[in-house]
């Protein structure tokens, strides 16, 4: 949202599905970002081109940016948007070189640098240029999404819509970026993005820190947070209303609001709203969800008791 607002875009439509309530809670009406948000329900995840299809009433005849919510680009998209406004091709895509192109949509460029073909997760990729999840379109894309058929996955693929524009001899251009980009599709990538965000952190304290605590480096302590008998080494964020007591919070850790970190050590991790970590000797490289409780296991019997959600990954030291 911040990157979109920085590019001078004020009207934002967010495609929402099963997690609509959580997204509304996080974004609201957009006013705190300087934008006006419209929520557009999608009954099922039927593809990115389908998202464009159901957003047509919102988009009208305007040019627009489609920014996938799980993508992160250091430096934002302002330069890309300005270039598009000046040149105004029918479509402009963002590319980056990757070591594993079979995991992405891949672009093939002609000798003049124009896009000549796109493939979604090809077994034998024709280049190492992966599509980054930011696209810029004129209204020409609306005809394209209406003209394609669902893929074998049952989805309307945005790569197929862009390929349709290419086949119709429309002007499809690309910009290759060399800076930092992440598709935050797993915990490792999420932690890495968190690290990158915290690298730019400015120190600030609106909470209370007692005289027995030590704050080192770039640490942001939000309003209502209380730190006592603890050591915090930045870059790190302690969210509003969070309590850190007799604990160590190490670099590249983001602790959300209303959490409790007590008699524990945590580093290079993300702790979401309302979670608590108490009496645990060491936690690192972890993503802890909302209202989660992390505590020591009972000494006897010597067994692990687990309550895990779908697709969890657990590492246990015997």
């Amino acid at each position: 949202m911040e990157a979109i607002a920085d590019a001078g875009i004020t009207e934002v439509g967010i495609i929402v599905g099963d997690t609509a309530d959580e997204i509304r809670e996080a974004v609201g009406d957009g006013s705190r970002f300087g934008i006006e948000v419209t929520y557009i329900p999608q009954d099922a995840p039927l593809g990115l081109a389908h998202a464009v299809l159901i957003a047509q009433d919102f988009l009208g005849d305007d040019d627009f940016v489609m920014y996938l919510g799980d993508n992160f680009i250091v430096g934002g998209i302002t330069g890309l948007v300005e270039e598009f406004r000046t040149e105004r091709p029918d479509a402009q895509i963002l590319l980056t070189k990757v070591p594993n192109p079979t995991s992405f949509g891949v672009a093939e460029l002609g000798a003049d640098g124009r896009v000549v073909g796109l493939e979604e997760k090809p077994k034998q990729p024709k280049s190492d240029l992966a599509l980054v999840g930011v696209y810029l379109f004129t209204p020409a894309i609306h005809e394209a999404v209406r003209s394609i058929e669902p893929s074998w996955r049952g989805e309307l693929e945005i790569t197929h819509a862009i390929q349709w524009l290419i086949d119709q001899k429309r002007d499809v251009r690309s910009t290759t970026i060399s800076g930092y980009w992440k598709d935050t599709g797993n915990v490792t990538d999420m932690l890495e993005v968190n690290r990158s965000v915290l690298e730019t952190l400015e120190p600030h304290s609106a909470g209370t820190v007692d005289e027995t605590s030590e704050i080192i480096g770039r640490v942001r302590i939000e309003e209502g947070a209380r730190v006592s008998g603890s050591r915090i080494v930045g870059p790190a964020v302690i969210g509003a209303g969070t309590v850190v007591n007799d604990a160590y919070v190490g670099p590249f850790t983001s602790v959300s609001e209303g959490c409790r970190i007590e008699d524990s050590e945590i580093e290079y991790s993300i702790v979401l709203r309302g979670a608590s970590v108490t009496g645990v000797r060491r936690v690192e490289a972890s993503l802890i969800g909302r209202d989660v409780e992390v505590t020591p296991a009972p000494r006897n019997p010597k067994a692990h008791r687990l309550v895990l959600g779908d697709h969890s990954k657990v590492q246990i030291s015997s």
Side-chain angles (χ1 to χ4, degrees):
M1 297 299 103
E2 290 169 349
I4 289 167
D6 288 344
I9 298 167
T10 57
E11 295 178 71
V12 177
I14 301 180
I15 306 295
V16 293
D18 293 341
T19 59
D21 291 342
E22 295 168 286
I23 294 172
R24 287 176 186 271
E25 181 183 356
V27 179
D29 63 2
S31 57
R32 68 189 179 95
F33 301 105
I35 58 178
E36 180 182 345
V37 169
T38 298
Y39 292 95
I40 303 168
Q42 187 181 37
D43 293 336
L46 297 174
L48 297 177
H50 181 263
V52 174
L53 194 66
I54 64 173
Q56 185 167 4
D57 287 345
F58 168 77
L59 295 167
D61 292 327
D62 293 338
D63 297 348
F64 66 96
V65 176
M66 182 166 73
Y67 196 135
L68 306 193
D70 57 359
N71 277 234
F72 181 80
I73 301 170
V74 168
I77 61 170
T78 301
L80 183 70
V81 170
E82 290 175 350
E83 179 185 349
F84 181 78
R85 283 174 171 152
T86 301
E87 302 292 335
R88 205 167 176 264
D90 293 299
Q92 187 162 350
I93 60 176
L94 207 54
L95 305 174
T96 191
K97 289 189 176 184
V98 294
N100 54 335
T102 55
S103 300
F104 300 93
V106 173
E108 180 186 2
L109 304 184
D112 60 355
R114 297 292 177 96
V115 184
V116 297
L118 298 174
E119 288 185 281
E120 188 64 36
K121 298 181 180 177
K123 292 182 179 179
Q124 295 181 315
K126 296 179 180 178
S127 81
D128 60 355
L129 294 171
L131 283 120
V132 175
V134 177
Y135 310 81
L136 297 98
F137 296 117
T138 67
I141 194 65
H142 295 303
E143 183 181 0
V145 299
R146 290 193 301 267
S147 300
I148 61 174
E149 297 293 331
S151 68
W152 62 270
R153 300 192 299 177
E155 297 184 6
L156 291 176
E157 310 283 359
I158 197 65
T159 49
H160 292 178
I162 298 171
Q163 184 65 54
W164 187 90
L165 291 174
I166 294 169
D167 294 341
Q168 298 298 312
K169 310 301 182 185
R170 307 300 289 263
D171 188 2
V172 177
R173 303 185 192 180
S174 67
T175 299
T176 301
I177 62 171
S178 57
Y180 185 85
W181 164 74
K182 275 288 184 183
D183 182 341
T184 58
N186 57 52
V187 173
T188 301
D189 289 338
M190 188 71 76
L191 291 172
E192 179 63 15
V193 165
N194 181 62
R195 183 196 64 77
S196 296
V197 171
L198 291 180
E199 288 280 16
T200 65
L201 187 71
E202 294 295 331
H204 172 77
S205 181
T208 59
V209 180
D210 76 356
E211 65 278 0
T212 65
S213 296
E214 186 178 15
I215 308 298
I216 301 172
R218 291 173 288 122
V219 176
R220 184 176 184 89
I221 301 173
E222 301 288 1
E223 186 175 356
R226 291 179 287 134
V227 180
S228 58
S230 299
R231 187 169 188 254
I232 302 176
V233 180
V237 172
I238 307 299
T242 283
V243 174
V244 180
N245 182 43
D246 292 334
Y248 167 75
V249 178
F252 307 116
T253 302
S254 292
V255 183
S256 191
E257 67 270 18
C259 296
R260 176 174 288 274
I261 312 295
E262 190 166 18
D263 190 25
S264 300
E265 299 179 2
I266 186 166
E267 183 171 302
Y268 191 63
S269 295
I270 299 170
V271 183
L272 298 184
R273 186 187 64 207
S276 64
V277 181
T278 58
V280 180
R281 187 169 63 181
R282 186 74 174 181
V283 176
E284 61 182 31
S286 298
L287 175 57
I288 299 172
R290 288 175 294 180
D291 301 314
V292 165
E293 297 180 6
V294 181
T295 61
R299 289 178 179 263
N300 292 304
K302 290 186 176 180
H304 301 288
R305 181 175 182 270
L306 307 175
V307 180
L308 303 174
D310 295 346
H311 312 297
S312 294
K313 181 179 180 180
V314 177
Q315 295 177 322
I316 297 174
S317 297
S318 57

